[in-house]
Amino acid sequence: DSGVTQTPKHLITATGQRVTLRCSPRSGDLSVYWYQQSLDQGLQFLIQYYNGEERAKGNILERFSAQQFPDLHSELNLSSLELGDSALYFCASSVDSSYNSPLHFGNGTRLTVT
Amino acid sequence: AQKVTQAQTEISVVEKEDVTLDCVYETRDTTYYLFWYKQPPSGELVFLIRRNSFDEQNEISGRYSWNFQKSTSSFNFTITASQVVDSAVYFCALSETQGGSEKLVFGKGTKLTVNP
């Protein structure tokens, strides 16, 4: 058990809809990362937050947004969903903001857009 | 530019065989870190090892060993006497700092199947 909690585990929704994925980092970790894993693209970095502030952005679409709250949990909002957004979305946390620190991943949220 | 190449998409072995998963990376940085992560069928990603660019010592942890060679930009992972529970997708990853911005890039992964 990594200590990172992601909810929900599965999500099925229709195109055009909006969903929110939630992540609670490991106790003591200040950084939260969001990754998208799909068969064709592999693991793609979306965005990183450190202690409530956006730290780095990767290949995140404008339809996607995220935030980290004062209690350090994070939410990833996906809107105007398309079929291609179907993927496994991982949250990871680390103790600091450096990519040199190992990431501890949650079990992921599997999003299916129909 | 940075890139992590795991040329082996899938490997299948029989239990007790040794298997090596290859990882080749590209970076212009002199300071960087390399990682291996395991993704078992249950789906979660598990951190296995981190190695910094200044430490070329090989590492052994039980049946797992890692061979880091800067000369060939490789960070290979060997499982000795493989077991069915080793079946998973293994990802190699590279982190580096360029222009004040840090990035972590994953390879496409190697799916290892260990058959009884």
Side-chain angles (χ1 to χ4, degrees), chain A residues 11-23:
Chain A
L11 207 45
I12 302 174
T13 190
T15 54
Q17 295 298 304
R18 182 180 191 272
V19 296
T20 297
L21 313 184
R22 183 188 167 100
C23 169

Side-chain angles (χ1 to χ4, degrees), chain A residues 2 35 37 40-45 48 55-56 88 90 97-108, chain B residues 31-33 35 37 39 42-47 50 89 91 95-97 101-108:
Chain A
S2 68
Y35 280 83
Q37 185 179 33
D40 52 343
Q41 294 292 323
L43 268 164
Q44 295 287 314
F45 167 66
Q48 177 200 4
R55 180 78 179 188
L88 192 51
F90 282 105
S97 62
S98 168
Y99 277 95
N100 301 332
S101 300
L103 301 186
H104 300 274
F105 285 81
N107 289 339
Chain B
T31 302
Y32 53 89
Y33 282 75
F35 301 82
Y37 287 85
Q39 186 176 33
S42 50
E44 76 277 17
L45 279 149
V46 179
F47 164 73
R50 175 185 64 181
V89 180
F91 292 93
S95 77
E96 62 178 3
T97 303
S101 171
E102 292 179 275
K103 290 185 177 181
L104 179 66
V105 174
F106 285 84
K108 297 284 190 187

Side-chain angles (χ1 to χ4, degrees), chain B residues 57-72:
Chain B
Q57 270 196 325
N58 291 333
E59 177 142 349
I60 299 174
S61 175
R63 295 181 298 104
Y64 294 174
S65 62
W66 291 269
N67 183 348
F68 176 33
Q69 293 199 341
K70 282 178 82 169
S71 59
T72 55

Side-chain angles (χ1 to χ4, degrees), chain A residues 9-97:
Chain A
K9 288 186 73 171
H10 301 278
L11 207 45
I12 302 174
T13 190
T15 54
Q17 295 298 304
R18 182 180 191 272
V19 296
T20 297
L21 313 184
R22 183 188 167 100
C23 169
S24 294
R26 277 192 332 165
S27 176
D29 284 358
L30 298 178
S31 262
V32 169
Y33 308 75
W34 286 97
Y35 280 83
Q36 179 193 59
Q37 185 179 33
S38 59
L39 279 174
D40 52 343
Q41 294 292 323
L43 268 164
Q44 295 287 314
F45 167 66
L46 296 178
I47 197 163
Q48 177 200 4
Y49 280 83
Y50 174 72
N51 205 19
E53 299 289 326
E54 182 183 302
R55 180 78 179 188
K57 253 184 174 177
N59 302 322
I60 188 166
L61 300 171
E62 282 192 18
R63 300 183 285 108
F64 296 0
S65 65
Q67 54 183 328
Q68 186 180 28
F69 295 88
D71 66 352
L72 301 179
H73 92 271
S74 177
E75 292 181 356
L76 178 67
N77 300 297
L78 315 177
S79 60
S80 302
L81 285 167
E82 301 174 0
L83 295 178
D85 298 326
S86 295
L88 192 51
Y89 290 85
F90 282 105
C91 168
S93 71
S94 67
V95 62
D96 56 28
S97 62

